[in-house]
Amino acid sequence: GVNPDLANERQTASFSVEKLTAWLDGGAEQTRLRRAVVEAIERDPVFSRENQYFQSQNERYEAAVRKAVHLQKKMHEMGWSQDGPESKYIYRAVAGDIAFLLHRIFMRSISVLGSDEQIAKWIPPASQYQLIGSYAQTELGHGTYLQGLETTAVFDVTTQEFILNTPKISAMKWWPGDMGRSATHTVVFAQLYVHGKCYGIHPFIVQIRSLQDHSLCPGIIAGDIGPKMNFEHIDNGYLMLQNVRVPRENMLNKFCEVQPDGTYVRRGSQKINYFTMTSVRISLISGEAVTPLMKACTIAIRYSAVRRQSKLKPGEQEAKILDYQTQQEKLLPQLAAAYAFHFIDDYLQEMFDRGYREIQRKNFDTLPELHALSSGFKATVTQYCTSGVEICLRACGGHGYSLLSGLPSLYTKIIASCIYEGENTILLLQTARFLVKSFMAASTGQSVPPSVTYLAAVKPRKCPAKNKLDFLSPDIYTEAYQHMAVRLISSTAAKLQDLIQSGVKKHDAWNRCTVQLAQAAKAHCHYITVKNFAETVEKLESKAGIQKIMKHLCDLFALHGIFSNAGVFMHDGYISGAQMDMVTASYLDLLAIVRKDAVPLVDAFDFTDKSLNSALGCYDGQVYQRLYEWARKSPTNKQISPAYEKYLKPLLHNTLSKL
Amino acid sequence: GVNPDLANERQTASFSVEKLTAWLDGGAEQTRLRRAVVEAIERDPVFSRENQYFQSQNERYEAAVRKAVHLQKKMHEMGWSQDGPESKYIYRAVAGDIAFLLHRIFMRSISVLGSDEQIAKWIPPASQYQLIGSYAQTELGHGTYLQGLETTAVFDVTTQEFILNTPKISAMKWWPGDMGRSATHTVVFAQLYVHGKCYGIHPFIVQIRSLQDHSLCPGIIAGDIGPKMNFEHIDNGYLMLQNVRVPRENMLNKFCEVQPDGTYVRRGSQKINYFTMTSVRISLISGEAVTPLMKACTIAIRYSAVRRQSKLKPGEQEAKILDYQTQQEKLLPQLAAAYAFHFIDDYLQEMFDRGYREIQRKNFDTLPELHALSSGFKATVTQYCTSGVEICLRACGGHGYSLLSGLPSLYTKIIASCIYEGENTILLLQTARFLVKSFMAASTGQSVPPSVTYLAAVKPRKCPAKNKLDFLSPDIYTEAYQHMAVRLISSTAAKLQDLIQSGVKKHDAWNRCTVQLAQAAKAHCHYITVKNFAETVEKLESKAGIQKIMKHLCDLFALHGIFSNAGVFMHDGYISGAQMDMVTASYLDLLAIVRKDAVPLVDAFDFTDKSLNSALGCYDGQVYQRLYEWARKSPTNKQISPAYEKYLKPLLHNTLSKL
C-alpha cells in the first residue's frame, strides 16, 4: 500500500495530475503513446536496471551492448521505426543505459558530410549493423579548438590513398564513445596534407577492427580509456594511427574533395555544419538535463513528504521535512526550474523547426540567432540542472548519498553535460559575442533578430513595484530581468570599447571582459526563460485548473532568481533595498503555497518506479522497507569477505605479532 | 623530466615555496616530521593506492582492512604511538583509505561516557584489537534528532539485563562504519525503559559477532548497506536487534546508572558531550574539507598550466588555459579559499585548546561560543570546499571527469562532509540561534562572547572607499563584511520579533525565518574568515616574501566574496553600484596577479604524487603520457569483453534475426 504520508499529499492536489501530464506531453495521445513505449520496454527483462548499482564497468558495458542489440529486435517486433513517433520515448524508457549512440552520430556525419555515393555505400550496411561506427574528433590534447587537432592525413598520389598518423601522444583520439571496444569503423578528423600543403581539418572513414574476428586492424592501437565518474556503460576509447592507409574515396567529400591528381576542390556552403551543432545542443537539453532534474525532484520531494525529523510544534509527532522552510527553499525552486526549462525546450524546438524550414529554402539568416540561443541555453540549462540535482541529492541527507537513492548516478551523469558538446564557459562566450554584436547594431538603429530586439528598447529606470504583491505580476518581474540583462550587456560592451579605445589589443580586451561577458550571456538566457514561462502561463487561460499552479511556479522561478542574484538587480538602483525585501517576502510566501502541491507536481512528470530506479522515490513511498530490501541484495552481502580469514581473524585471535 | 610549461611557472615564483610550506606546517621541524611519515607510508607497497580507481567495493573494503591491520605493525616498527606527534600525519599519508575509524569512536565513547570500571574492562582489549568496535547511533528513519530514536532497551530486574529490540524497520541502525562486516561489538543508542517508564536515550555496549568465528550473535541481523557515492572502503552497516540481552554493566554509566533494583540515578554534568561534538566537527575541517580542496586546486592548477587550448593572440601557439580570465576566475578564488580555511582551522584549534583548558578547570562558559563556531564553520567550510572541488573538476573539462584525474573521487567523498556529523543546514541554524541570542544580549548592553562583540558596535553607514585601490585595504573590506553580517543578523532578529509580537507562535515564527537565519549564520562565518585571514597576514610582517603573496590571496578571497554576494553588501546602500564596479575591477586585477604565482602556491601544499593519485596533477606535468599509461592498465582493457562473442559477433555477422 501507499505510505499514508504520501497518500495525504495527493488527496489535496489543487489540479488534475493527469491533465497536467497530458499537457506537458503535448496532448493525451502523446501520453498514451509514451506510456505504451515505456510499458513495452520495462516489461522486457533484458532492459531491467535492477542490478545497475551493483555492476562493475565491464558488466555495465556488456549490459549496454546486450540492450542495444536487443532493442533492434524489440523495435522490429513492436513495429517501431527509427524515425517513428515512438523513437523519442525509447531513449527515455531505457534511461540512456544503452550502447551504439555514437553509431548514430557516425551515420549522421556521413549523411551530412558525405556525397551521394558515400551515403549509398555506407548507410545501408551501417543501418543493418554490418559494421559499427564511432566518431573520432577529440584528441588527448585537443577538445573545443578544432583547428588545433594534430592527427594527419597525407595524400599519396601514387597509391591514391590517404596515410593517417598520430604524430605524438597528445594527438591520440580520446573519449569517442563506442570506440573503446565495440566499433569496427570510425570517422577520423585529421589535418589534410596534399603535396606538402595543409588544407585543415577533414573527415575520413577508417576501419579499425576486423569484421571477421574484431581484432585491431594493422597500424591501429585502440582501447578503452578506463573508469569515469559515470557512463560506465559506454566504452569511451582511445585510438592511435600508425601509417594507416585508406582509399581516396574515404574522405567525406560533400563539401570538398581531393581529386586524383591532388587538386583540392571546395564546393557549397558549410554553414549547415553550424546547424548540426545547434541541433545536437538543443536535442540534449530535454533528455540529458531537464529529465534528470525532473527525476531528482520526484525522488527528493516524495522522500521529503515521508521522512520525518524533529518537531516543528512542541507535543506533536516529528514533522515531515518538507514542512521546513529551509527544505522547501532547497527543493521547490528546483521544481519550478524543471518546469521552466521544459518550456524553454519547447521554445527552442519551435525556433529550431522554423529555422530548419528556412534553411531548406537556402535562407541562412536565422542561423546566428539559433546558434547563439542554442549555445547559451545548452550552457545555462545544463549548469542549472546540474546544481539542481546536487541540491536534491544533498537535501536527502545520508540516504541521498546511497547509490540506491538513484541520486548519485543522476548527478555524476548530468555533470558531464556541462562539458560535452561544447564546454559551458566557451558556449556562453559565443552567446556573448552575438549579444555584443546585436547590442552594437541595435544602438545604431540597425535591425536585429527577434530574441534581442529588447536591447534597443528604452525602459524606465526604476522598478515600479510598491508592495510585495506587485512582485507577483509577470510584467514587473519580466521587466526587471530585461532591465538587468540590458544593463549587463551594455556595460560590458562599453568596457570592451573603452579598453580597445585606450589602446589594448582586441583579443586582450576581450579576454579581460570574459568573466562579465559570461555573466551577461547567462542574464540574457535567464530573462528569456522567465519571459517564456510567463507567456506559457498566459496562453493557458483555457485550462484554469492548471494555470493557477503554473502561475505560482512561474512566480517562484522568477523571484528565486532575483532573490539569489540580488546584486545584479540592485546595482543601478533599479530594484531598491526596500523592494528586495518585498521580493524576499513574496518568495518565501510562495514556498509555502507551492509546497501544498509539491507531490502532485512531481507525480505529473509521470516517471515509473523502474525509470526512477530509486529506493527513496517510488510512488508508494515505502522508503525504509525498500532501502533494506535493496541493500540486502548488494554483492557486499553475498559472501563473507576474504578479509576475515586473511586479516580480521589473525588480528582478533591476537596473532598480530606473527603477521 | 618536468614539462617545460610547468617548469617555467616555477622559475618565476615571487616567494620561496619551501619557506611557505614550513610556515603552513607550523615550522620546518613539522615539515620534516610530516615528510618522514609520508615517506615511510608511501614506500610501503601495502599502502599503495595505485589500483584504487579500478577496484570494486569488495576489493576496496578488503584493502582498507589490510591497511588498517598493517598500520598497527608499521607504527610498532617505526616507534610511532597512537598519541605521538606523527599521528596527525598518518591519516593524511594513507589518504583516508583505511578501516577501523569507527573503532576509534567506539573507544572514545567508552572513555567519555563510561565509568572507570568500564574503561578498565573495555579499553585494553579494544586497544589490542581483541575486539573491533563500532558506534550505532543513526537509524534508518532517524538522524539528527536523537530523541526520535526508536531502538529500545528494557531493564529486566529479574535477570539484571537490558533487553534490546528494534521495534520496526525504521528503527534499524543504519550507516555506522566498520559495522557492516568488521565489528564484533558496537555501542548502541537506545531508549531506556525501566519498570515501564522511558528515561530517554542511553548507550549500551552490545556484542554483535562471535569472537571465535565472526558469525552473527543470536538475535542479531547485520550486514552492509551496499553501494554509496564513495567510501567504498568502509563497511557502513545495518543492525537489527531481536531480544538481545546484555548485562546491566553494559550501559555506559558515567553520567547515569540503573541500579540493581531499577532505580535510575543521574550524576555530574553532561555538558562535556557538547564538547565532544565540537571537537569532532573542528577536527574534520582540516582533513575532510580543506585538504581535499587543496588537492583539487593542485591538480586543476597544474593541469591548467600544461593544457593549451585556442589562441589568445593571433599567430601565437595555443594558450595555456590558465591564461584565460574565466579559468582564473574559476580556480584562483578556490585557491585563496583553501588558504583562508587553513587559517580558520588554526583559529578554531587555538580557541578549542583554550576552551579545553577552561573546561578542565570546570569552567563551561566558553562552550556556547565554541559550539556555535564549530557548527557554523563545519557547515560553511565543508559547503565551500565541496563546491570548490566541483569547480576544479569541471574546470579540467573531459579529463577532469575521468576517475584517473583524481577529482571525481575527491568530489564524491567531500560532498558527504556536508551531511555527516550534523547536516549543514541544521548546524547553521544552531549558529543562528546563538547569534540571535547574542545580538539581543548585546543590544541591551549585556556582555557577549568575544567573537560576537562586533554585534554591539555602532559603525558608519557607508563604505568610505573612493577608488578601486581602496578595496585592497583590509580595513575597508573587513568593515564591509562586518556591516553586512550585523545587518543580516539584526534584520532577521527583528523579523522574528515582529512575527512573535504579531501573534505567530514562537516555533512557527522561527521556521518562517530559517532561510534568512541560515544566511545570517553564513555571513557571520564569512566575516570571521576574512578578518582572521587579514590578521594572519598582518602578523607575517617578519616574513616579507610570503606576506606579499598572502596579502594578495587575502584580498582575492575577500573581494571574490563581495563580487559573488553583491546583493547583501548593496542592500542598504553600504556599498554603492559605483563602488561595486571598483570591487569588480580590483577583483579582476587580482586574478591576473595571483595567476603568476598560482603553481608555486599549490606546490607549497607539498602533496606527493602518490597522495594526489592523479594523472593530471603530478609534479612533472606529464599529463597525456600518464593518462594513456594508466588507462591501459584498466580492467576494461584486460580481457576481451564477453559482449563480443555473445552480442557483437552475431550482430555483425548478420545473424540478428536468429537472436
Side-chain angles (χ1 to χ4, degrees), chain A residues 62 66 140 175 224 227 307 330 383 390 394 398-399 401 403 411-412 425 511 571 581 637 646, chain B residues 62 140 175 224 227 307 325 330 383 390 394 398-399 401 403 411-412 425 511 571 581 637 646-647:
Chain A
E62 187 182 333
R66 184 178 67 237
L140 194 40
W175 274 111
D224 186 288
R307 174 74 173 186
K330 288 174 190 174
Q383 160 62 42
E390 195 212 18
R394 285 176 45 186
H399 295 330
Y401 190 77
L403 288 200
Y411 178 76
T412 53
T425 303
N511 189 28
H571 187 277
D581 289 339
N637 292 317
K646 284 198 223 166
Chain B
E62 188 182 331
L140 195 39
W175 275 110
D224 186 287
R307 175 75 174 186
Q325 189 188 50
K330 288 174 191 175
Q383 160 63 42
E390 195 212 17
R394 284 175 47 185
H399 295 328
Y401 190 77
L403 287 200
Y411 178 75
T412 54
T425 305
N511 190 28
H571 187 276
D581 290 339
N637 292 319
K646 285 198 222 167
Y647 312 113

Side-chain angles (χ1 to χ4, degrees), chain A residues 134 136 138-140 166 169 171-183 186 188 208-209 216 220-226 235-241, chain B residues 399 404 624 626-634 636-638:
Chain A
S134 175
T138 313
E139 295 174 0
L140 194 40
T166 301
I169 196 153
M172 285 184 85
K173 296 296 176 183
W174 197 268
W175 274 111
D178 292 339
M179 194 175 79
R181 295 187 265 175
S182 297
T186 189
V188 171
I208 59 172
R209 288 188 179 88
L216 292 172
I220 300 287
I221 293 171
D224 186 288
I225 64 165
D235 56 324
N236 298 94
Y238 59 79
L239 172 68
M240 195 184 269
L241 301 152
Chain B
H399 295 328
L404 307 180
Y624 302 129
R626 202 168 270 114
L627 264 177
Y628 180 42
E629 278 167 18
W630 290 17
R632 282 163 68 192
K633 288 192 249 170
S634 167
T636 52
N637 292 319
K638 281 288 154 65

Side-chain angles (χ1 to χ4, degrees), chain A residues 80-328:
Chain A
W80 299 338
S81 78
Q82 207 58 259
D83 312 313
E86 297 87 0
S87 70
K88 69 172 167 169
Y89 299 125
I90 294 173
Y91 184 76
R92 172 173 161 140
V94 298
D97 225 22
I98 198 157
F100 305 159
L101 296 180
L102 268 285
H103 180 69
R104 288 201 223 169
I105 310 285
F106 171 82
M107 290 205 289
R108 191 171 58 200
S109 64
I110 293 172
S111 305
V112 173
L113 304 173
S115 64
D116 292 344
E117 297 77 34
Q118 289 174 322
I119 292 172
K121 177 176 176 188
W122 293 100
I123 295 299
S127 308
Q128 300 289 314
Y129 286 94
Q130 286 162 14
L131 57 89
I132 297 167
S134 175
Y135 181 87
Q137 182 177 300
T138 313
E139 295 174 0
L140 194 40
H142 306 276
T144 302
Y145 185 68
L146 286 191
Q147 297 166 58
L149 294 178
E150 295 177 291
T151 303
T152 56
V154 178
F155 185 59
D156 179 349
V157 186
T158 56
T159 63
Q160 294 288 301
E161 290 171 321
F162 295 104
I163 309 164
L164 283 95
N165 269 295
T166 301
K168 49 183 178 162
I169 196 153
S170 57
M172 285 184 85
K173 296 296 176 183
W174 197 268
W175 274 111
D178 292 339
M179 194 175 79
R181 295 187 265 175
S182 297
T184 59
H185 290 68
T186 189
V187 172
V188 171
F189 285 80
Q191 302 283 1
L192 169 66
Y193 286 85
V194 185
H195 298 320
K197 185 179 165 192
C198 181
Y199 290 88
I201 292 300
H202 289 73
F204 302 85
I205 297 179
V206 179
Q207 181 171 355
I208 59 172
R209 288 188 179 88
S210 155
L211 287 170
Q212 279 314 305
D213 64 6
H214 218 58
S215 60
L216 292 172
C217 294
I220 300 287
I221 293 171
D224 186 288
I225 64 165
K228 298 145 292 184
M229 206 170 175
N230 196 317
F231 288 88
E232 296 101 328
H233 61 290
I234 300 291
D235 56 324
N236 298 94
Y238 59 79
L239 172 68
M240 195 184 269
L241 301 152
Q242 296 175 328
N243 291 316
V244 174
R245 287 174 171 266
V246 300
R248 192 178 63 90
E249 295 73 31
N250 277 27
M251 182 172 110
L252 292 175
N253 60 13
K254 182 168 187 178
F255 298 109
C256 31
E257 190 181 12
V258 176
Q259 293 179 340
D261 66 348
T263 308
Y264 180 83
V265 182
R266 188 174 278 280
R267 58 181 163 234
S269 163
Q270 292 198 56
K271 282 186 183 160
I272 192 76
N273 286 344
Y274 269 88
F275 193 68
T276 307
M277 274 199 294
T278 296
S279 121
V280 172
R281 282 174 194 155
I282 290 176
S283 70
L284 72 84
I285 287 176
S286 167
E288 304 303 326
V290 183
T291 301
L293 179 59
M294 286 174 167
K295 285 185 178 178
C297 286
T298 305
I299 295 167
I301 287 174
R302 285 182 181 164
Y303 175 64
S304 298
V306 160
R307 174 74 173 186
R308 289 177 174 274
Q309 186 160 285
S310 300
K311 299 192 179 185
L312 210 42
K313 297 182 191 177
E316 289 194 353
Q317 72 172 137
E318 289 188 61
K320 293 178 174 186
I321 58 175
L322 193 54
D323 286 324
Y324 291 93
Q325 189 189 49
T326 46
Q327 187 77 353
Q328 293 165 10

Side-chain angles (χ1 to χ4, degrees), chain B residues 391-510:
Chain B
I391 290 167
C392 290
L393 187 157
R394 284 175 47 185
C396 293
H399 295 328
Y401 190 77
S402 164
L403 287 200
L404 307 180
S405 75
L407 291 165
S409 61
L410 285 174
Y411 178 75
T412 54
K413 192 169 184 202
I414 196 175
I415 193 179
S417 72
C418 298
I419 300 165
Y420 61 62
E421 295 300 340
E423 194 276 330
N424 279 355
T425 305
I426 292 167
L427 293 185
L428 287 173
L429 293 177
Q430 289 180 2
T431 306
R433 207 175 276 280
F434 167 80
L435 291 173
V436 169
K437 214 170 143 186
S438 300
F439 174 75
M440 298 300 195
S443 39
T444 56
Q446 295 166 49
S447 85
V448 293
S451 63
V452 284
T453 48
Y454 77 93
L455 291 173
V458 180
K459 293 290 169 184
R461 309 290 311 154
K462 301 274 176 197
C463 171
K466 299 210 161 20
N467 57 55
K468 71 174 182 177
L469 294 180
D470 286 345
F471 278 105
L472 303 180
S473 154
D475 287 346
I476 295 276
Y477 55 67
T478 306
E479 285 276 313
Y481 274 92
Q482 186 188 96
H483 178 86
M484 180 269 300
V486 173
R487 187 183 62 75
L488 287 172
I489 294 162
S490 62
S491 67
T492 312
K495 177 181 168 184
L496 190 61
Q497 285 305 304
D498 288 353
L499 283 170
I500 292 168
Q501 271 161 27
S502 75
V504 177
K505 292 256 169 61
K506 238 177 169 174
H507 54 262
D508 195 22
W510 179 263

